Amino acid sequence: MYSSMLRVPSEVLAQFDGLQRQVEQLLGLRGATSIRGSRNGFPAINMGSTPDAIEVYAFVPGVDATSLEVTVDKGLLSIAGERASVVPAEGTTNVYARERYAGKFKRVIALPEDADPAQVQAQYRDGVLRITVNKRESSKPRRIDVQ
C-alpha cells in the first residue's frame, strides 16, 4: 500500500530537472560566459602533499606569466591573473561556441595548518603554475631519544 504512494512518475522528475536547469541558467549558474562564473573555478588545480611541502599545480594555459599574482595571507593561497581573448573581433567571424574563457580570474585555496607562509616558491612553465609551500619545521615528525 505505501510503496505505491512513494513512486514518482519519471516525467515529473524530468520536469523538475528541466526547471532546475532553467533556474540555473537564469541565475547565471549554468553556461557561464566568464571565468569568474565557471562552476569548478579557474584555474583548475591539483593539490598534494609531500613530507616536506604542499604542492599546488594550477593549469593556466594561455596566460602570460607577468599577469599572474600569487599571494599567501592568513592561511589562504590566492592565484590571480588575466587571460586575453583569442576570439577575433566582432564582425569578422561568426562565433557559435565560446568555451575557452577570457578575462580576469582569482582562485583562493585554504592551506593546511602546517603550511609555512614565509616559504613559498612559484614557477610557471608551459601553462602550468607550480606553487610549493614548505611545511613548518615544528609540524614535521622528529625522533626523540629516550634516556
Side-chain angles (χ1 to χ4, degrees), residues 21-86:
R21 277 189 266 123
Q22 288 176 356
V23 169
E24 286 178 350
Q25 195 168 23
L26 286 172
L27 296 176
L29 300 175
R30 188 177 286 240
T33 58
S34 72
I35 291 174
R36 278 184 214 193
S38 64
R39 287 183 84 114
N40 298 327
F42 181 88
I45 62 164
N46 286 350
M47 186 170 174
S49 177
T50 67
D52 297 322
I54 294 106
E55 294 189 357
V56 178
Y57 293 88
F59 302 99
V60 286
V63 175
D64 185 21
T66 58
S67 76
L68 290 171
E69 181 180 329
V70 178
T71 59
V72 176
D73 185 32
K74 297 178 184 166
L76 297 175
L77 172 70
S78 298
I79 304 168
E82 184 172 4
R83 180 162 62 184
S85 177
V86 293

Side-chain angles (χ1 to χ4, degrees), residues 107-119:
R107 182 88 188 254
V108 180
I109 304 156
L111 293 172
E113 289 183 19
D114 59 352
D116 186 355
Q119 297 184 18

